[in-house]
Amino acid sequence: NAGVTQTPKFRILKIGQSMTLQCAQDMNHNYMYWYRQDPGMGLKLIYYSVGAGITDKGEVPNGYNVSRSTTEDFPLRLELAAPSQTSVYFCASRQSNQPQHFGDGTRLSIL
Amino acid sequence: GDSVTQMEGPVTLSEEAFLTINCTYTATGYPSLFWYVQYPGEGLQLLLKATKADDKGSNKGFEATYRKETTSFHLEKGSVQVSDSAVYFCAWETSGSRLTFGEGTQLTVNP
């Protein structure tokens, strides 16, 4: 039972490059979330989705995009990487009235 | 606005010491409350939760009671172990199944 799988685990980007962080869950959860965690800080919500085809902005959506074409996958897209986006990114999923399950994170550095 | 205020860290204790990590929230209504734990290099794991006033969540020797009158959800453990060293996050659930996190408290337990 894989749970929430994030790829890659680590990545270094140059300023202005683009990339997609992948997130997949095999628990048939409707809700999925993307957070960023900056050093010494709690998690900030970037985007979330309550089901396939539906996405909404969280607290810090600027510079990111998401899509939810299937229940299983919720990729996060950075179009023009900036140093301020250096962070650890966590994906999570949940079913109604159940706690969120988190992936192991993607550590992203932008130089 | 809605928020979670968590005891600042880091906290360093000796093995078998008593642990308290304070958490208070500001929210409308009566949100569900959570404690998550993050071990080094890993994602967040649910430690315990409480969904209504006076509920006590417990797991692995940790406890927290939902105090509506003081809007608090303090985490306690009677005797910590080295293996409890981690970052602990308090969180509460907003409408739309979104979590608001505190900034985290780093706990180090020395033998």
Side-chain angles (χ1 to χ4, degrees):
Chain A
N1 191 356
V4 179
T5 302
Q6 290 185 239
T7 56
K9 293 189 183 303
F10 305 94
R11 184 72 184 269
I12 298 174
L13 286 181
K14 295 182 179 179
I15 295 171
Q17 286 186 317
S18 62
M19 79 162 293
T20 299
L21 282 66
Q22 302 291 344
C23 176
Q25 52 92 9
D26 61 359
M27 298 172 282
N28 202 33
H29 287 173
N30 288 331
Y31 298 84
M32 296 188 75
Y33 306 83
W34 272 108
Y35 296 90
R36 59 177 288 172
Q37 183 183 29
D38 298 323
M41 303 291 288
L43 277 68
K44 301 293 185 185
L45 183 64
I46 305 171
Y47 271 95
Y48 68 106
S49 169
V50 301
I54 305 169
T55 62
D56 282 293
K57 295 179 180 179
E59 297 176 73
V60 290
N62 292 343
Y64 306 94
N65 280 299
V66 293
S67 59
R68 185 90 184 274
S69 57
T70 66
T71 299
E72 294 78 18
D73 300 301
F74 191 41
L76 178 71
R77 180 82 177 164
L78 283 70
E79 291 293 351
L80 288 171
S84 62
Q85 294 177 305
T86 293
S87 191
V88 181
Y89 291 84
F90 288 100
C91 179
S93 73
R94 61 169 283 180
Q95 195 52 291
S96 299
N97 299 320
Q98 297 298 313
Q100 294 186 18
H101 293 256
F102 285 80
D104 287 340
T106 295
R107 187 174 298 275
L108 180 63
S109 295
I110 297 161
L111 307 175
Chain B
D2 299 342
S3 66
V4 175
T5 301
Q6 189 173 335
M7 172 180 168
E8 292 185 15
V11 175
T12 302
L13 296 174
S14 298
E15 205 164 25
E16 300 183 2
F18 183 84
L19 169 71
T20 300
I21 301 177
N22 292 336
C23 173
T24 58
Y25 67 91
T26 303
T28 55
Y30 303 108
S32 294
L33 302 175
F34 305 85
W35 277 100
Y36 280 83
V37 58
Q38 184 180 30
Y39 298 103
E42 298 183 10
L44 277 69
Q45 302 174 25
L46 178 67
L47 181 60
L48 53 84
K49 68 174 184 176
T51 57
K52 61 183 186 295
D54 299 325
D55 264 2
K56 177 185 283 188
S58 62
N59 186 24
K60 299 181 181 180
F62 291 89
E63 293 183 341
T65 301
Y66 189 151
R67 302 287 188 197
K68 183 180 67 173
E69 63 277 10
T70 55
T71 62
S72 65
F73 193 53
H74 305 323
L75 183 68
E76 298 181 334
K77 186 174 185 181
S79 177
V80 294
Q81 305 300 312
V82 172
S83 58
D84 294 327
S85 298
V87 182
Y88 293 82
F89 292 93
C90 184
W92 63 273
E93 188 171 59
T94 65
S95 60
S97 302
R98 297 165 54 170
L99 285 175
T100 296
F101 286 89
E103 294 187 354
T105 301
Q106 172 77 57
L107 171 66
T108 301
V109 181
N110 295 319

